[in-house]
Each structure stands twice: as structure tokens, then as C-alpha cells.
């Protein structure tokens, strides 16, 4: 799962989760920002593609390291 959180003054205001597939806002301002980002199809598809680019590549590396040590 790929998660991208945005913080301001130690307060999380938005989060993208690949399992949900969209941005979620946690503050009043964060809800507005999340709605704008969810309406931008190119930005939303780029965030969805991060799961394949970041997570799936590293899973194979970590999984092979665990198997060789077991």
C-alpha cells in the first residue's frame, strides 16, 4: 500500500492511500485541497501509479532478503 500524507504544523491535513484510491482531507482546509486534487485526473493517476513505481519494486527486494536469511 502506498500512503502519502501532507502535514502543516505537525497536523495531518490530507492523505492519499492507494487502497482508497483518492485523497482524503482531515481538516477544513484539507478537505478543500483533497477535493481539488481528486478533481485533477492526471495528478490522481500519477499518485495511483506510485504504488507500482515505489512499493511493488521494493517488495521483491525485501522479500528476497527475508528468504535468504531464513
Amino acid at each position: 500500500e502506498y500512503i502519502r500524507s501532507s502535514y502543516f504544523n505537525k497536523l495531518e491535513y490530507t492523505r492519499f492511500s492507494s487502497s482508497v484510491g483518492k485523497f482524503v482531507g482531515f481538516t477544513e482546509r484539507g478537505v478543500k485541497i483533497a477535493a481539488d486534487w481528486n478533481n485533477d485526473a492526471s495528478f490522481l493517476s500519477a499518485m495511483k501509479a506510485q504504488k507500482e513505481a515505489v512499493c511493488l519494486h521494493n517488495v521483491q527486494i525485501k522479500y528476497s532478503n527475508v528468504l535468504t536469511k531464513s
Side-chain angles (χ1 to χ4, degrees):
E1 181 177 12
Y2 176 76
I3 297 174
R4 178 183 175 184
S5 299
S6 300
Y7 293 87
F8 182 74
N9 285 339
K10 299 181 184 180
L11 180 66
E12 183 178 23
Y13 62 93
T14 61
R15 179 188 299 165
F16 176 82
S17 174
S18 62
S19 62
V20 176
K22 65 178 185 174
F23 286 91
V24 178
F26 295 103
T27 63
E28 184 177 336
R29 177 89 173 127
V31 170
K32 293 176 185 176
I33 293 170
D36 289 340
W37 287 347
N38 287 332
N39 289 332
D40 187 355
S42 64
F43 186 57
L44 197 57
S45 64
M47 288 294 105
K48 290 178 183 178
Q50 290 297 312
K51 181 177 179 181
E52 288 81 22
V54 176
C55 298
L56 297 180
H57 168 72
N58 290 320
V59 165
Q60 294 300 323
I61 294 169
K62 301 289 185 186
Y63 186 69
S64 65
N65 286 340
V66 169
L67 288 180
T68 59
K69 293 179 182 179
S70 297

